[in-house]
Amino acid sequence: MKKHIYVFCIFPVLMLFATAWNPIPHTSPEDEGKAERLTYMADSLRREYRFQEALQFYRAAASRILEARTDSASGFSAADSILMDSIEAGRVMAENGMSMKQYVSEPVVVARHVFSIDDFYLFYPMEDSSWRAVPNQLDSVAGHRFVKATYIPEGSTDIYFSAQDRSGVRNIYHTGLEDSLWTVPSLLDESLTSSGDEIFPVLSQDGNTLYFASSGLYGVGGYDLYKSEWDASLGTWGTPENLGFPYSSPYDDLLYFNDPEGKYTLFASNRDCPADSVAVYVLEYDSMPVRRQVEDPQRIEAIASLVPVNDPSKMDADAAVQEDFHGNADMIRYMDRMNRVRSLRDSVALYGQELEEKRNQLSVSVDPDEKERLAAEIVAREKKIPALQDSLAEASGRLQQIEMEFLFNGVVIDPDKVMAQADREVVGTAANYVFSKCSSGKPLDIKVARPEVKFDYSFMVLPEGRFAQDNSIPDGIVYQIQMFLLSSPATVSQLKGLSPVFSEKTPTGKYIYRVGLFRTYNVVLANLNTVKRLGFRSAFIVAFNDGEQLSVHKARELEAGLREREARYQVRIVSPGEALPDITLKAIRQVTDRDIAKAVEDGKTVFLVGPLDSEADAGKLCTMVRISGIDEVETVKIEN
């Protein structure tokens, strides 16, 4: 009798009810009030691949915030700023989605199965015992939602892995084996690094393509899938390419892998899944996928649902099974007998352990009734052990007899390997594609070269002060705080935790001690009182230009001249009309009060805002202008 297991996913049902209560198709931005509500609607539309409509809602949400805060003396609140960042991120993803609609492929879906996010990667047809649990020597930070292990097959000489940097963001690193030592992990090319996380790097069979997932590169939400090609002429990885719909989606898409036999492509996604699960999709491998433009959101969503085909000719039951013993009657008999031996061996060990515990209790008991009860239990258990041992000996003898039969027929058995296969979880056989669970690898044990620690010359107050490793003063204008003049060298305790402290021996044999390397007078002045409060009450500011000491007054004059010659920036806005829309003017005034100049270029009305002191300020202003609804805006460097 067949057993049927039905798995119900309540999430899509809840979403149907949510849609019923929030009729997105019949709603427009003008009908909604609060920015939070508009942002929620925009996010929902983006997840339904309705990118054009999502853009309208994101812009309407930004407008609500700008209108509410224009007349406020305090400007943006912290909550407003966070929401504006979310709106901008969503707007960018919706615009990316509009572009990605031009390149949609339709792979043949062979199978789909839902697994826990804790071990889904073990159901890939990758090398067995190669996933090493995190934390390990390369990835020392556990707790990531998806990354639970690092893929390192036995015999690897090159490892690509994901790990956190100092800011807590995950990047992709590489280390290679040199003799018996692994090189200091190095960050991959700048183009593969974003403000988000990069995870699950997988190298192609020929070593020329790196597949990975990122939450910070050009995408449409969550983690998208990317590939980067190795450029042998430059010795670098190329600009990552989003794999596009339906591999990437507004949800989390992870761990892209082409099986070694060239039959299948696998990847995981939490689209249409419970929060603690991902679906692993098995697709027919296509080396030259045809991509075409698809405008209809419902059509894209249907393609991205990746429904498996009901065509047995597309499937291969042996694809994901390595060394499958299940169909061999002799091997099944052998595994059953070995299971019997293991069970009896465990029982004997358990009885022995419990018997020892009872004997320990008897030795410390002082209650006569308790001692009598324990003595009776010990006798009863001692009587059972010989029978168990006899059963174990009989089962072991039969197991050895089967092994002798195999040996007589020229078959060599590895018991550990056989039982590892017997313990392996297998799912999906009803669909003629077998997901076979790999074993986890042994804890990682490699020797990795330590990076050279560079001295940090930032001004700091530490538990213990530090002398600078190099006492030379860098070129340009530099300010320092002179602490004291001594007739003998200072000790670390005399530094009062200050770092970095520079020393200079005068022609008279005395020692001058100064702290810090400051590039502007305002910064050194802001730190002067910190030094004085540590006990250096007579501390004062000194200045250098290209290593030569000069008066602080002269250094400030030179500093002011440099500021005047430094590059400044403008923001160039191409207006859709003769004047800027009110909402755009409000957006500009939230960032700067600089002048707005109007010009005509090639028949277009152009507005220039500036000058702005930094490229970062100009970029922030560009973002606000885009949120207000004008896309044609750019930063322009002003040449002095």
Side-chain angles (χ1 to χ4, degrees), residues 490-502:
T491 62
V492 170
S493 62
Q494 289 177 289
L495 305 185
K496 304 290 183 68
L498 289 170
S499 174
V501 174
F502 293 74

Side-chain angles (χ1 to χ4, degrees), residues 570-575 578-599 605-612 621 625:
Q570 283 182 328
V571 169
R572 179 179 176 274
I573 306 167
V574 178
S575 175
E578 290 297 316
L580 286 172
D582 288 342
I583 191 66
T584 303
L585 286 171
K586 292 175 182 177
I588 292 171
R589 290 310 177 210
Q590 287 288 337
V591 178
T592 182
D593 58 357
R594 294 300 176 93
D595 294 337
I596 303 175
K598 181 179 179 181
T605 303
V606 176
F607 291 88
L608 299 171
V609 184
L612 301 168
L621 180 55
V625 171

